[in-house]
Amino acid sequence: MTPALEFENVIAGYGDTMVLRGVSGALQQGQVLGVLGRNGVGKTTLMRALAGFIPLKEGEVRAHGANLALIPPQNRLTAGIAYAPQEDTVFSDLSVGENLRLHLKTRDMSRYRPYFDAFPRLQERAMQRAGSLSGGERKLLSFTRTLGLHAPLSLLDEPTEGVQPENIARMSHLLLARREAGAAFVIVEQNLSFLLQVADAVLVLDHGERVASGAMPAFTREKLESYLVV
Ligand SMILES: Nc1ncnc2c1ncn2[C@@H]1O[C@H](COP(=O)(O)OP(=O)(O)OP(=O)(O)O)[C@@H](O)[C@H]1O
Ligand SMILES: [Mg+2]
């Protein structure tokens, strides 16, 4: 079976400064890969590289077997890749509803039904500027928009940052439902309880290098915590 995502020896960064120093990994359709590491080790940079937002200096990223470097940015979604960045996740000047309709070819919002049921505030605020939401609510909007796309592969950078605990529990249910349906996810997370619930495998980054990886059951919570201690 062609993996949902494969990345090999990814070297990338900003200008002449390389942040990622040869990172490799893979995941199958229907799997969730958790990316873990201390602040500033290159997690977001890895997501940008996997989403094709920054060029690779070396290495290759393949999504569903296709070399990402050959897919123009405007075609990535059609190629089955959705990306929810860590920051600037929504269009602040557009309404909540407009943010959710932006990528749809129809005005039918029924795909968002489970998300509105879980996060009623998004529906209540549909007509209001997304910029008027709290940071955590904007994260929920970004999560809803990304999962609602039903992309085969989604990249989520710290989706639970600033989100209320009861909503984090709802996020994990919604995510597991998409995983059941065969979707694949790469998720950067600091929230270990969330990661332990949703992830099949983990990749630990330190100073731009992969320092550990493997199936989730191979890691104890204590071991995962040890990777986050400064
Ligand atoms: N747009 C940018 N231009 C230049 N350097 C950047 C840029 N974004 C990040 N960096 C640098 O790259 C390094 C890795 O940052 P990155 O955001 O990938 O880390 P992170 O693991 O996601 O951190 P955090 O846990 O704080 O989100 C840092 O030294 C950071 O300062
Ligand atoms: Mg980051």
Side-chain angles (χ1 to χ4, degrees), residues 1-225:
M1 202 168 88
T2 309
L5 182 70
E6 300 159 279
F7 45 106
E8 268 165 27
N9 187 37
V10 170
I11 300 181
Y14 309 96
D16 292 334
T17 313
M18 288 306 122
V19 173
L20 303 173
R21 303 189 291 169
V23 184
S24 303
L27 87 153
Q28 297 292 335
Q29 216 49 61
Q31 279 201 325
V32 177
L33 172 67
V35 175
L36 205 67
R38 284 180 274 269
N39 291 126
V41 296
K43 304 181 298 294
T44 292
T45 305
L46 176 63
M47 296 297 258
R48 288 177 182 146
L50 297 181
F53 271 62
I54 55 170
L56 308 187
K57 174 126 173 142
E58 274 183 50
E60 191 172 303
V61 177
R62 287 186 299 279
H64 313 111
N67 183 349
L68 201 67
L70 305 178
I71 307 174
Q74 69 273 21
N75 293 348
R76 302 249 165 79
L77 202 50
T78 333
I81 311 157
Y83 173 43
Q86 183 174 4
E87 279 141 11
D88 302 323
T89 48
V90 300
F91 296 100
S92 299
D93 290 333
L94 298 183
S95 72
V96 169
E98 284 166 338
N99 267 280
L100 292 174
R101 277 193 298 272
L102 207 56
H103 302 284
L104 300 183
K105 292 193 177 72
T106 85
R107 291 185 65 84
D108 178 16
M109 302 266 277
S110 58
R111 61 177 61 223
Y112 294 122
R113 179 48 50 207
Y115 303 91
F116 288 148
D117 288 345
F119 316 123
R121 200 144 169 83
L122 292 184
Q123 200 168 23
E124 287 159 24
R125 296 264 196 130
M127 308 294 280
Q128 294 188 32
R129 279 180 71 247
S132 72
L133 299 176
S134 73
E137 287 166 347
R138 283 203 294 275
K139 277 288 192 180
L140 289 178
L141 174 57
S142 166
F143 178 84
T144 295
R145 184 178 61 183
T146 306
L147 267 69
L149 290 169
H150 293 175
L153 171 65
S154 301
L155 311 168
L156 313 180
D157 195 345
E158 305 220 14
T160 72
E161 205 175 19
V163 176
Q164 307 268 8
E166 66 269 24
N167 283 335
I168 295 179
R170 293 181 186 125
M171 289 170 89
S172 78
H173 287 128
L174 290 160
L175 229 150
L176 290 172
R178 290 299 309 143
R179 186 182 73 168
E180 281 295 298
F185 292 90
V186 181
I187 307 181
V188 172
E189 255 307 327
Q190 310 268 7
N191 182 327
L192 287 184
S193 304
F194 179 77
L195 209 57
L196 283 161
Q197 271 173 28
V198 300
D200 302 286
V202 65
L203 185 159
V204 184
L205 276 185
D206 198 10
H207 290 96
E209 287 183 276
R210 183 180 73 184
V211 292
S213 65
M216 198 49 135
F219 294 86
T220 61
R221 193 187 171 101
E222 289 67 36
K223 186 72 192 163
L224 295 175
E225 271 165 4

